[in-house]
Amino acid sequence: MEESPYVFFLGFAFLWILLGLGSIFVLVKSQGPTTKFPPEALLVGIPILVAFAIALTFGAISL
């Protein structure tokens, strides 16, 4: 039961991250032109997200 505040905090953090990404996408989409993501953006973004997920998982497991 000691881990429940951390799980709640991580869930809330993920929710805010998703809301922020969604709002940025809607803001960019509302400007008119179609949104195109170059492959280089995936090469930068995916390793950052994977490292973030691994760090959060490791932190949750090591409690």
Side-chain angles (χ1 to χ4, degrees):
M1 273 310 204
E2 296 175 7
E3 299 172 1
S4 62
Y6 297 109
V7 172
F8 179 74
F9 175 75
L10 289 176
F12 195 67
F14 280 128
L15 176 67
W16 274 102
I17 289 170
L18 289 176
L19 286 171
L21 290 174
S23 65
I24 289 173
F25 183 75
V26 168
L27 181 65
V28 168
K29 194 77 167 158
S30 70
Q31 297 297 322
T34 60
T35 54
K36 294 182 182 178
F37 295 104
E40 292 84 12
L42 294 176
L43 289 175
V44 172
I46 290 176
I48 291 171
L49 293 175
V50 169
F52 186 67
I54 290 172
L56 288 176
T57 303
F58 180 73
I61 290 173
S62 66
L63 291 176

